[in-house]
Amino acid sequence: MTWTVDRTASQHYADDTGRRYWSVSQVRNRMDPGAFDRVGKDVLAKASLRGQLVHGYAALYLMYLDGLVQVPEVPEGYEGYCQAVRLACDQLEPEVLDLEEIDGNLKMGIAGTKDFLAGVTWKGKRNRVALCDWKTGAPTKTDPAQLMLYHTFPSNEHAEVLLDIYLRRDGTYTIVEVKKKDHAHDWAAALNAIQALKIDQQLTEWRKRK
């Protein structure tokens, strides 16, 4: 299946049949719509740029570990975050299976782009299939739902563990394993948010009728 992304559309993703899907980001925003109301636009812009640059570096570094590219250049001002990427990779010893791939859940009507799926060393066991997400900001209450939703996508269903990797400016990192059994309320909130998006869409279509 071929996917396209348009962040300006009411539903960010579309498949090759033209059907549209809500992004996991849209689901998270519907779960907690006021999460960033008190954050200034300049702060949000800087956080967005940081996320783009560090994620880009992380993807290239994973490709470097696979021997596909040369050592990536560290973006100026983000040396600590990139050091944290390297240290996390030293711990996990990832063997990448998928990198920055789009997939979706047709039944739920959602889609998203995973950071990476890899065989990793986790809790003393090698080659555990892990669905991983890089984080360059502070933890938020919708973080667990993001990975749980990604886990429903066909290409991610065989993941044994779900890992949020929090990178910090000082070069340190924390890896948090997300277990669905520990996040029943988050999962329920995510499902309710998807339903709310569907209701919002139906109401919008109703209002447009003559």
Side-chain angles (χ1 to χ4, degrees):
M1 182 178 292
T2 302
W3 295 89
T4 56
V5 186
D6 180 359
R7 298 289 179 182
T8 67
S10 60
Q11 292 174 281
H12 292 167
Y13 286 84
D15 63 23
D16 48 16
T17 70
R19 179 185 172 184
R20 303 208 66 87
Y21 300 77
W22 287 284
S23 67
V24 171
S25 295
Q26 289 178 290
V27 178
R28 295 179 68 183
N29 289 340
R30 195 64 179 84
M31 288 173 70
D32 193 15
F36 301 105
D37 284 354
R38 296 183 180 180
V39 181
K41 290 183 178 180
D42 57 335
V43 175
L44 289 175
K46 289 179 180 178
S48 177
L49 177 62
R50 180 182 68 230
Q52 292 174 32
L53 292 175
V54 176
H55 276 75
Y57 173 86
L60 288 173
Y61 189 73
L62 288 170
M63 294 172 68
Y64 160 71
L65 292 179
D66 275 351
L68 300 176
V69 299
Q70 298 296 317
V71 180
E73 183 177 347
V74 174
E76 184 177 354
Y78 301 94
E79 293 81 2
Y81 293 101
C82 294
Q83 175 182 307
V85 168
R86 297 190 297 273
L87 292 175
C89 287
D90 287 346
Q91 176 184 338
L92 293 173
E93 302 177 305
E95 295 184 10
V96 177
L97 303 172
D98 277 328
L99 181 63
E100 299 285 348
E101 292 290 335
I102 299 174
D103 199 1
N105 184 313
L106 277 63
K107 183 176 180 180
M108 296 174 74
I110 60 172
T113 307
K114 70 170 77 68
D115 282 348
F116 69 101
L117 185 75
V120 303
T121 298
W122 184 248
K123 294 185 176 178
K125 295 182 179 179
R126 292 182 59 82
N127 296 319
R128 299 195 69 187
V129 179
L131 178 61
C132 304
D133 198 79
W134 302 109
K135 301 293 186 188
T136 61
T140 72
K141 65 192 301 181
T142 63
D143 286 351
Q146 179 183 18
L147 277 178
M148 290 190 291
L149 290 170
Y150 282 164
H151 197 211
T152 70
F153 299 171
S155 62
N156 303 331
E157 287 178 333
H158 60 296
E160 302 169 74
V161 291
L162 312 179
L163 303 177
D164 271 325
I165 308 170
Y166 293 91
L167 310 169
R168 291 185 284 271
R169 185 178 182 178
D170 65 359
T172 61
Y173 70 95
T174 301
I175 302 177
V176 176
E177 182 175 357
V178 175
K179 297 181 180 180
K180 191 173 180 180
K181 65 181 180 65
D182 296 331
H183 294 279
H185 289 94
D186 298 316
W187 181 243
L191 296 180
N192 286 335
I194 293 171
Q195 188 61 31
L197 286 169
K198 293 177 180 179
I199 292 171
D200 291 343
Q201 183 184 56
Q202 290 168 357
L203 286 171
T204 298
E205 291 173 352
W206 174 79
R207 294 184 188 112
K208 291 179 179 179
R209 292 176 185 171
K210 293 181 179 180

